[in-house]
Amino acid sequence: MNCGICKYYYREKMKCPGCRGEDENKSKSVRDCIIINCDEIKNNNSEFCFECSNIPCKRLKNLDKRYRTKYHMSMLENLDFIKENGIEPFLEKEKQKWKCPKCDGIVTCHGGKCLNCGFEKYKN
Ligand SMILES: [Zn+2]
């Protein structure tokens, strides 16, 4: 998950520090996230799920399905891309995908709208 396209990362009240941020600043649902709290990740000091022998596990598949259906992105595709190309090319690709065509602002996956001008790039 690229937190740079998440609306909770940009909101003013209860601004999320990002999935990998400090727990105390996260909302309960993020704190309790089963992916962040995955024992495999913690025990192996993994950075990405593709380092896990269980990929794709059931919880990752469920999350991926939810995001593909509702939020115009795939966690599994992102993981594949990062594994093949590295994190920098991924972020570059993301920047293009989520850029507002009208004002170059940031479009978030939750809602599919530009944070700056409100242009609807992805319809839900
Ligand atoms: Zn815009």
Side-chain angles (χ1 to χ4, degrees):
M1 174 77 195
N2 168 16
C3 292
I5 61 159
C6 175
K7 75 174 179 183
Y8 303 104
Y9 190 68
Y10 296 102
R11 66 184 175 183
E12 283 176 20
K13 270 188 189 172
M14 291 282 293
K15 183 187 174 322
C16 183
C19 295
R20 297 178 191 218
E22 294 294 325
D23 268 1
E24 56 190 303
N25 299 322
K26 288 177 188 165
S27 68
K28 192 179 179 318
S29 61
V30 178
R31 240 186 352 252
D32 294 343
C33 170
I34 52 173
I35 303 286
I36 303 281
N37 293 301
C38 172
D39 284 339
E40 298 285 338
I41 293 263
K42 282 186 174 168
N43 294 342
N44 299 312
N45 259 330
S46 303
E47 268 198 291
F48 296 103
C49 288
F50 57 69
E51 296 164 38
C52 179
S53 54
N54 285 335
I55 188 171
C57 63
K58 197 175 168 202
R59 46 193 161 186
L60 187 54
K61 273 196 266 189
N62 286 339
L63 186 73
D64 183 69
K65 189 178 176 193
R66 185 149 60 90
Y67 270 76
R68 268 190 291 113
T69 312
K70 291 170 81 174
Y71 304 124
H72 323 283
M73 57 164 275
S74 160
M75 305 280 176
L76 289 169
E77 274 174 28
N78 285 355
L79 282 161
D80 272 347
F81 188 90
I82 296 167
K83 191 179 177 185
E84 291 298 316
N85 304 282
I87 192 74
E88 290 302 331
F90 170 70
L91 292 174
E92 195 46 51
K93 186 167 79 91
E94 287 284 285
K95 214 187 263 177
Q96 298 309 317
K97 177 176 177 183
W98 302 98
K99 186 159 84 175
C100 174
K102 285 199 162 169
C103 76
D104 286 353
I106 295 166
V107 174
T108 61
C109 68
H110 309 105
K113 282 184 192 159
C114 173
L115 289 171
N116 185 47
C117 75
F119 178 78
E120 205 170 328
K121 184 168 184 178
Y122 301 107
K123 290 212 188 292
N124 279 342

